[in-house]
């Protein structure tokens, strides 16, 4: 049985390298039948279910994986992404990001996704706190500056918002942030600047989604 399992693991790693998630999913189901209590098999199976657009099966498999290991921040991060992007369960997504961060408070992409969800649900004060955490780790983080500026603007703190929006644009040009700067300049009476910047088109903050299926050693 060990030889069969070892060969299946080699086939799995090859499939993951080739991003053949349908094949990887099939191999992982076999591995889970051989060794149902192996956490990495269940975690990767959940990830590949999402890759092949079967979110409900992905969710159920993450729940199985959680029973085997409830201390892995990657599991909660992946589950939070699934809940938000595929299942539209925002409150549960936020809850899982918070659990992930309680296990690994230095995961900047997790803070980023959490801040975006707070922003999208109009919880601007919480989004600002999350973006402050990002900026404490990386003062030149584009989204940290952009999200904080946008949230300050949304709360009516126009003057405070402007330097964060300008800093974001120094780091990376982005049309949606230009629109924020346009709105700020209109509010501050700089109409000509606002009109010029307002020509730029709209956009949306990019959610960092990573299922993280990874090689099994």
């Amino acid at each position: 049985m060990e030889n069969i399992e070892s060969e299946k693991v080699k086939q799995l790693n090859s499939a993951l390298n080739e991003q053949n998630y349908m094949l990887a999913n099939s191999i992982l189901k076999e591995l889970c039948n051989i060794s149902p209590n192996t956490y990495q098999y269940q975690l990767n199976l959940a990830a590949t279910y999402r890759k092949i657009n079967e979110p409900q099966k992905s969710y159920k498999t993450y729940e199985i994986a959680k029973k085997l290991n409830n201390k892995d921040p990657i599991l909660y991060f992946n589950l939070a992404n699934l809940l938000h992007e595929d299942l539209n369960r925002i409150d549960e997504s936020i809850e899982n990001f918070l659990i992930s961060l309680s296990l690994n408070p230095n995961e900047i992409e997790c803070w980023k996704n959490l801040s975006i969800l707070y922003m999208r649900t109009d919880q601007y004060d919480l989004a600002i706190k999350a973006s402050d955490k990002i900026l404490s780790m990386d003062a030149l983080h584009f989204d940290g500056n952009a999200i904080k500026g946008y949230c300050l603007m949304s709360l009516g703190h126009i003057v405070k918002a402007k330097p964060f929006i300008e800093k974001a644009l120094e780091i990376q040009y982005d049309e949606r942030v230009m629109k924020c700067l346009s709105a700020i300049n209109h509010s501050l009476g700089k109409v000509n600047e606002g009109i010029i910047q307002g020509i730029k088109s709209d956009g949306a903050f990019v959610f960092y989604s990573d299922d993280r299926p990874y090689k099994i050693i």
Side-chain angles (χ1 to χ4, degrees):
M1 184 65 72
E2 288 184 5
N3 289 336
I4 294 174
E5 186 173 352
S6 178
E7 183 59 33
K8 290 293 180 184
V9 168
K10 289 179 182 178
Q11 294 172 13
L12 170 64
N13 287 333
S14 176
L16 290 173
N17 279 337
E18 295 171 2
Q19 298 184 9
N20 186 340
Y21 297 117
M22 189 69 72
L23 177 58
N25 179 266
S26 177
I27 296 169
L28 280 161
K29 284 188 282 188
E30 293 181 57
L31 285 168
C32 286
N33 286 332
I34 295 170
S35 183
N37 293 323
T38 299
Y39 172 69
Q40 283 192 318
Y41 295 166
Q42 298 289 353
L43 183 68
N44 279 275
L45 180 60
T48 57
Y49 270 131
R50 188 179 181 207
K51 290 290 189 182
I52 63 175
N53 199 30
E54 294 193 45
Q56 292 295 343
K57 289 183 179 179
S58 179
Y59 175 77
K60 290 178 182 178
T61 309
Y62 276 127
E63 290 298 307
I64 293 170
K66 192 191 300 183
K67 292 176 182 177
L68 299 172
N69 180 2
N70 64 358
K71 300 298 182 182
D72 183 1
I74 290 176
L75 182 149
Y76 295 101
F77 178 79
N78 289 355
L79 181 54
N81 284 337
L82 173 74
L83 286 164
H84 166 56
E85 294 190 296
D86 298 337
L87 300 176
N88 196 33
R89 291 157 63 173
I90 306 301
D91 290 342
E92 291 174 75
S93 178
I94 289 173
E95 179 183 347
N96 279 276
F97 279 133
L98 288 170
I99 295 171
S100 182
L101 288 167
S102 72
L103 296 166
N104 180 13
N106 296 317
E107 179 53 66
I108 200 164
E109 295 299 344
C110 196
W111 283 110
K112 171 187 166 181
N113 283 6
L114 179 62
S115 67
I116 290 173
L117 283 190
Y118 281 144
M119 181 178 63
R120 289 179 180 173
T121 53
D122 298 333
Q123 299 180 76
Y124 298 121
D125 287 335
L126 291 175
I128 289 170
K129 288 181 180 179
S131 61
D132 279 339
K133 182 64 178 179
I134 294 170
L135 295 174
S136 72
M137 292 186 281
D138 180 4
L140 297 179
H141 194 279
F142 167 76
D143 287 282
N145 282 283
I147 291 169
K148 182 167 185 177
Y150 176 83
C151 291
L152 286 168
M153 182 180 72
S154 298
L155 290 171
H157 305 310
I158 306 301
V159 174
K160 290 182 179 179
K162 188 173 183 180
F164 291 100
I165 293 297
E166 290 177 333
K167 174 60 70 174
L169 286 169
E170 287 177 15
I171 298 164
Q172 176 184 317
Y173 175 80
D174 187 278
E175 291 180 349
R176 70 194 188 280
V177 181
M178 281 296 295
K179 185 173 183 180
C180 290
L181 185 57
S182 173
I184 287 171
N185 281 325
H186 271 289
S187 297
L188 296 176
K190 298 179 180 179
V191 178
N192 289 336
E193 287 183 46
I195 291 172
I196 292 170
Q197 293 149 2
I199 293 171
K200 305 300 181 182
S201 63
D202 201 359
F205 287 92
V206 178
F207 201 78
Y208 181 82
S209 182
D210 184 359
D211 298 314
R212 301 189 187 188
Y214 48 94
K215 286 187 179 181
I216 296 173
I217 300 172

